[in-house]
């Protein structure tokens, strides 16, 4: 079993961790049945950033915030950037949105109508303009494109139009920027989606060039999928650009990462570490893509980044030398046990000490609860329109 001394050996590596928060996690959200509102929810992107900064303040783990355009449209991105910096965080990935416009009912960048397709491409150009002002590296594209019925449209034609549209968008991104293409196997289209899996995303980004990579959203796989295999393969191919972390029981549930299946999160992080996808020398972006429908949002995000940190620590604790030796010797049970030893190590007391040694609260959940921030925003943010999907 790994010990405290083993933890001390990996503790410097934990300081390399950075997890980007989604601005939309702080707005109201729900299911198709009901969006619940909460007191104190931000009314604009500035308040979302202020809330996200609380997560970083108490954990030291979340230095940047991803924006969603048009949800986070503001008059001056320079002002928003300055506001973020004043709160101790930065602006991160820009997410495009081609799923809330009547024109996109039958598709956006895959649409058969050139006018609509160009409109979707132009939206991405607008996102790149925003990136240039926010200083963002990544343009993340998740598409709702697909069909509901066999025969509804020509899947091959859509794939060709997708390739053509992505090429136009890719041409626009800067030397230090990346196009990150996310996949999802269903919803809102149910017969087929145009980027359903890592293979399609890989094929599309590989055709574009080095600055095009894949986003793996953990919730976007069929039940039982071996996600860590996909992580391994994309890292091996040099095409894993980013993670959208969350967890799911059934579908795209967007629940707190590590809540449904902590062992799966561990296995994913083991492959991340194994494949060089973790830390300051890696370009792989760790992000959350979650919505807190029934629980408090800021502590929900704090819990989430702590879950990632805990599983990262356990993944770093895997005794690689012994594991390699057991694997080479064909010692199946020992190899399995070595991996499980790291998983079953309770790193929480070690992490509490580690945080304190870095001037952070030992228990960030408690520190946030005691800070009174939740009560303050509930009292202050009266009037105006609370942010939510589409706001
Ligand atoms: C929809 O499934 C989704 O959750 C995708 O995962 C995107 O990353 C996110 O929305 C934001 O557009
Ligand atoms: Mn996502």
């Amino acid at each position: 079993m790994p010990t405290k001394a083993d933890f001390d050996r990996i503790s410097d590596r934990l300081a390399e961790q950075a997890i980007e928060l989604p601005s939309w996690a702080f707005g109201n959200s729900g299911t198709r049945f009901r969006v619940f509102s909460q007191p104190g929810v931000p009314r604009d992107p500035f308040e979302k950033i202020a809330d996200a900064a609380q997560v970083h303040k108490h954990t030291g783990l979340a230095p940047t915030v991803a924006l969603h355009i048009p949800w986070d449209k503001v008059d001056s991105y320079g002002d928003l950037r300055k506001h973020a910096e004043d709160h101790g965080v930065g602006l991160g990935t820009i997410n495009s949105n081609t799923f809330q416009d009547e024109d996109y009912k039958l598709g956006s960048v895959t649409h058969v109508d050139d006018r609509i397709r160009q409109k979707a491409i132009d939206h991405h150009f607008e996102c790149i303009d925003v990136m240039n002002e926010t200083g963002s590296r990544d343009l993340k594209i998740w598409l709702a494109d697909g069909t509901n019925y066999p025969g509804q449209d020509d899947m091959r034609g859509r794939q060709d139009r997708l390739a053509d549209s992505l090429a136009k968008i890719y041409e626009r991104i800067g030397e230090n920027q990346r196009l990150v293409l996310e996949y999802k196997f269903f919803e809102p289209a149910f017969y087929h989606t145009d980027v359903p899996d890592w293979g399609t995303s890989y094929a599309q980004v590989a055709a574009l060039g080095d600055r095009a990579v894949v986003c793996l959203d953990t919730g976007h796989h069929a039940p039982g999928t071996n996600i860590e295999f996909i992580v391994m393969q994309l890292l091996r191919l040099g095409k894993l650009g980013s993670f959208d972390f969350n967890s799911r029981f059934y579908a795209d549930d967007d629940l707190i990462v590590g809540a449904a299946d902590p062992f799966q999160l561990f296995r994913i992080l083991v492959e991340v570490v194994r494949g060089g996808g973790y830390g300051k020398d890696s370009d792989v972006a760790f992000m959350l893509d979650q919505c807190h429908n029934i629980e408090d949002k800021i502590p929900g995000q704090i819990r989430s980044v702590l879950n990632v940190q805990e599983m990262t620590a356990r993944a770093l604790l895997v005794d690689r030398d012994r594991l390699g030796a057991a694997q080479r010797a064909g010692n199946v049970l020992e190899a399995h046990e070595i991996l499980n030893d790291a998983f079953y190590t309770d790193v929480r007391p070690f992490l509490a000490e580690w945080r304190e040694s870095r001037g952070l609260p030992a228990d960030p959940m408690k520190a946030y609860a005691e800070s009174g921030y939740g009560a303050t925003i509930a009292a202050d943010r009266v009037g105006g329109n609370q942010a939510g999907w589409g706001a």
Side-chain angles (χ1 to χ4, degrees), residues 73-356:
K73 247 183 165 166
V74 288
D75 290 340
S76 163
Y77 292 96
D79 286 353
L80 191 65
R81 187 179 180 167
K82 167 91 175 44
H83 172 78
E85 283 161 9
D86 290 345
H87 283 74
V89 293
L91 302 178
T93 301
I94 299 299
N95 290 257
S96 62
N97 180 331
T98 54
F99 49 88
Q100 289 182 308
D101 187 302
E102 282 297 303
D103 272 345
Y104 299 140
K105 186 165 82 173
L106 300 179
S108 63
V109 292
T110 63
H111 205 288
V112 73
D113 180 335
D114 286 343
R115 180 190 70 81
I116 294 176
R117 211 157 68 79
Q118 190 57 49
K119 174 173 166 172
I121 294 169
D122 287 343
H123 168 65
H124 287 89
F125 290 168
E126 183 196 347
C127 287
I128 295 167
D129 291 343
V130 172
M131 289 164 71
N132 293 335
E133 287 184 63
T134 52
S136 302
R137 180 187 63 172
D138 291 347
L139 170 65
K140 177 145 71 71
I141 305 176
W142 171 72
L143 300 170
D145 295 43
T147 63
N148 271 1
Y149 296 100
Q152 180 187 322
D153 198 3
D154 178 42
M155 290 192 287
R156 167 67 189 265
R158 294 175 73 93
Q159 203 62 209
D160 293 341
R161 293 191 290 274
L162 171 65
D164 185 69
S165 300
L166 289 177
K168 293 190 169 102
I169 297 165
Y170 185 72
E171 220 171 85
R172 260 304 165 106
I173 62 167
E175 276 304 304
N176 299 315
Q177 292 173 337
R178 308 190 305 176
L179 182 158
V180 188
L181 183 62
E182 179 172 350
Y183 59 92
K184 180 175 180 179
F185 77 118
F186 82 111
E187 197 203 26
F190 292 108
Y191 169 58
H192 100 280
T193 58
D194 290 305
V195 190
D197 48 34
W198 76 267
T200 303
S201 181
Y202 174 78
Q204 287 286 348
V205 299
L208 297 175
D210 289 346
R211 285 170 292 124
V213 283
V214 176
C215 170
L216 186 158
D217 182 312
T218 49
H220 290 187
H221 303 87
T225 301
N226 183 334
I227 298 176
E228 58 271 27
F229 178 87
I230 300 170
V231 172
M232 173 282 295
Q233 187 69 284
L234 286 173
L235 280 168
R236 179 175 165 270
L237 296 166
K239 282 292 188 190
L240 181 61
S242 63
F243 280 102
D244 269 5
F245 282 118
N246 50 47
S247 67
R248 66 186 288 279
F249 288 104
Y250 295 102
D252 189 26
D253 305 347
D254 283 338
L255 299 173
I256 288 176
V257 57
D261 185 350
F263 188 43
Q264 180 187 61
L265 178 59
F266 167 76
R267 300 192 311 263
I268 289 170
L269 289 165
V270 167
E271 288 306 325
V272 169
V273 171
R274 160 72 178 87
Y278 173 77
K280 57 178 167 35
D281 299 327
S282 164
D283 282 337
V284 178
F286 280 32
M287 294 189 282
L288 302 182
D289 179 12
Q290 297 180 183
C291 293
H292 303 286
N293 302 343
I294 55 168
E295 67 275 29
D296 286 349
K297 295 162 196 309
I298 299 171
Q301 289 281 285
I302 293 177
R303 180 70 270 153
S304 305
V305 296
L306 295 179
N307 285 357
V308 176
Q309 184 184 44
E310 282 169 25
M311 287 304 157
T312 303
R314 293 178 189 206
L316 288 167
L317 281 175
V318 172
D319 189 334
R320 288 268 151 213
D321 295 341
R322 281 185 60 226
L323 181 63
Q327 289 173 341
R328 284 188 297 277
N331 197 334
V332 177
L333 293 177
E334 192 178 327
H336 181 55
E337 192 174 315
I338 290 166
L339 199 75
N340 279 352
D341 276 348
F343 174 65
Y344 285 111
T345 305
D346 188 358
V347 294
R348 289 173 299 181
F350 305 156
L351 282 169
E353 249 181 61
W354 178 88
R355 280 185 204 107
E356 274 190 316

Side-chain angles (χ1 to χ4, degrees), residues 360-374:
L360 291 162
D363 181 347
M365 292 292 285
K366 188 159 165 268
Y368 172 75
E370 287 172 1
S371 73
Y373 184 85

Side-chain angles (χ1 to χ4, degrees), residues 39-40 373-382:
Y373 184 85
T376 305
I377 54 173
D380 290 354
R381 294 178 184 168
V382 177

Side-chain angles (χ1 to χ4, degrees), residues 26-28 35-48 71-72 380-391:
F26 300 94
N28 284 326
V35 171
F36 296 105
S37 61
Q38 292 184 12
V41 157
R43 286 134 337 147
D44 58 40
F46 289 86
E47 291 181 349
K48 290 182 195 173
W71 298 342
D72 295 318
D380 290 354
R381 294 178 184 168
V382 177
N385 286 328
Q386 293 190 325
W389 292 331

